[in-house]
């Protein structure tokens, strides 16, 4: 499979996977024009759209793509039923597209019905897990998002995290500010600054790397607890996670 990222809107990425026959799937098309342009330039034939949640910057292009390609299936959680989804999927289900078997994970937090799709090594996780960061909590609770993170963190180390926004520099800047002595975070921040100075994409990222530089995957870290002013005992890990998310909201 060939993985393609398409910049869209202000800082979104629309992901596409295509096979050697030119068939492809589209993930979270927030706008149609760049998708239709990519399909035309490569002479690809879309067979499916995958939606992670209902926000407009993830579903805004669905109707226009369907107007051009009316026979393709649109998979999504219940909350996307009125956004163009034709096949509603949820936790524990499996779907097969382009010969790939995708596991569906409920990953609430950003929205209550948010889902993620995993077919090794590809993880399409929308606005849940970002490189170096965590999606904003618009509908769910910190505990829900923490549990969603734990679910995704159980995937293999070589998982390619295909999240939906170019937030890596902002996330790493925050991480370094609250955990300045963490050498891996500092090192990776320098790398990301260099990439973004050249307007290069920082995604996909590997889960193996995220375990080293993403503070939202470090809720058990005693030094991190000290850095954010929490006692090293007593707190549940989700409460540490919640404190981190609150600090990021006001960073």
């Amino acid at each position: 499979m060939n993985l393609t990222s398409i910049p869209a809107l202000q800082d979104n990425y629309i992901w596409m996977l295509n096979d050697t026959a030119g068939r492809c799937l589209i993930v979270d098309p927030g706008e149609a024009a760049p998708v239709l342009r990519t399909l035309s330039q490569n002479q690809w034939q879309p067979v499916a759209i995958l939606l992670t949640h209902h926000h407009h910057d993830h579903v805004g292009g669905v109707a226009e793509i369907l107007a051009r390609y009316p026979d393709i299936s649109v998979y999504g959680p219940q909350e996307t039923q009125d956004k163009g989804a034709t096949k509603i999927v949820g936790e524990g289900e499996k779907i097969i597209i382009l010969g790939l078997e995708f596991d569906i994970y409920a990953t609430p937090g950003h929205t209550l019905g948010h889902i993620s799709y995993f077919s090794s090594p590809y993880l399409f996780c929308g606005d849940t897990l970002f490189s170096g960061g965590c999606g904003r909590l618009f509908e769910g609770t910190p505990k829900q998002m923490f549990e969603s993170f734990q679910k995704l963190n159980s995937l293999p180390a070589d998982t390619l995290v295909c999240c939906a926004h170019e937030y890596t520099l902002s996330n790493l800047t925050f991480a370094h500010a609250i955990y300045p002595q963490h050498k891996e975070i500092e090192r990776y921040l320098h790398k990301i600054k260099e990439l973004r100075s050249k307007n290069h994409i920082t995604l996909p990222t590997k889960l193996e790397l995220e375990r080293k530089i993403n503070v939202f995957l470090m809720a058990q870290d005693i030094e991190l607890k000290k850095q954010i002013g929490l006692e090293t005992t007593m707190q549940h890990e989700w409460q540490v996670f919640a404190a981190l998310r609150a600090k990021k909201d006001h960073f």
Side-chain angles (χ1 to χ4, degrees):
M1 287 290 165
N2 180 56
L3 179 67
T4 301
S5 60
I6 304 173
L9 303 170
Q10 183 176 348
D11 49 35
N12 281 70
Y13 289 121
I14 300 166
W15 294 97
M16 299 177 72
L17 270 181
N18 72 281
D19 63 15
T20 55
R23 300 175 304 161
C24 69
L25 62 82
I26 305 159
V27 184
D28 282 350
E31 61 176 335
V35 173
L36 295 173
R37 184 165 56 247
T38 300
L39 292 172
S40 176
Q41 289 172 348
N42 293 281
Q43 297 185 312
W44 290 342
Q45 179 62 40
V47 300
I49 294 173
L50 307 182
L51 303 177
T52 60
H53 64 291
H54 67 83
H55 286 162
H56 184 72
D57 62 326
H58 293 252
V59 304
V62 173
E64 192 175 340
I65 295 169
L66 287 178
R68 186 77 61 89
Y69 300 95
D71 297 329
I72 65 179
S73 298
V74 183
Y75 296 86
Q78 187 66 47
E79 65 180 39
T80 61
Q81 189 166 26
D82 62 348
K83 307 293 184 180
T86 57
K87 296 181 182 295
I88 304 304
V89 291
E91 172 72 27
E93 293 187 57
K94 296 178 184 291
I95 57 175
I96 297 177
I97 307 171
L98 300 178
L100 299 177
E101 183 176 82
F102 285 89
D103 290 306
I104 312 298
Y105 294 97
T107 48
H110 183 69
T111 68
L112 288 177
H114 196 297
I115 63 173
S116 298
Y117 302 82
F118 176 68
S119 180
S120 184
Y122 308 106
L123 172 65
F124 298 111
C125 54
D127 288 358
T128 299
L129 168 64
F130 291 121
S131 183
C134 159
R136 191 177 288 271
L137 303 178
F138 285 113
E139 298 174 13
T141 66
K143 191 171 188 290
Q144 284 177 314
M145 185 65 105
F146 171 75
E147 290 168 353
S148 294
F149 258 58
Q150 296 303 106
K151 194 178 294 184
L152 297 182
N153 195 30
S154 70
L155 296 174
D158 65 350
T159 296
L160 290 176
V161 180
C162 304
C163 47
H165 290 273
E166 183 57 76
Y167 289 163
T168 314
L169 179 57
S170 171
N171 290 335
L172 265 293
T173 302
F174 166 72
H176 183 57
I178 65 165
Y179 205 167
Q181 74 272 37
H182 195 290
K183 296 304 180 184
E184 284 290 329
I185 291 174
E186 182 179 31
R187 179 195 63 78
Y188 197 57
L189 174 59
H190 287 309
K191 179 179 179 179
I192 293 303
K193 284 181 176 178
E194 184 176 347
L195 285 172
R196 294 308 294 156
S197 71
K198 300 173 183 176
N199 202 34
H200 289 172
I201 186 173
T202 65
L203 302 169
T205 180
K206 279 194 175 181
L207 189 55
E208 180 178 30
L209 171 64
E210 291 306 305
R211 289 168 179 160
K212 297 175 182 177
I213 56 90
N214 192 322
V215 291
F216 291 93
L217 291 172
M218 301 178 188
Q220 77 291 346
D221 189 312
I222 292 175
E223 285 302 314
L224 176 60
K225 289 182 184 181
K226 291 178 181 177
Q227 288 297 123
I228 61 176
L230 296 179
E231 297 177 22
T232 57
T233 58
M234 303 302 289
Q235 287 85 12
H236 293 291
E237 288 184 10
W238 74 263
Q239 293 172 306
V240 180
F241 185 97
L244 285 168
R245 183 61 257 183
K247 286 182 178 295
K248 181 66 167 66
D249 287 342
H250 299 97
F251 182 69

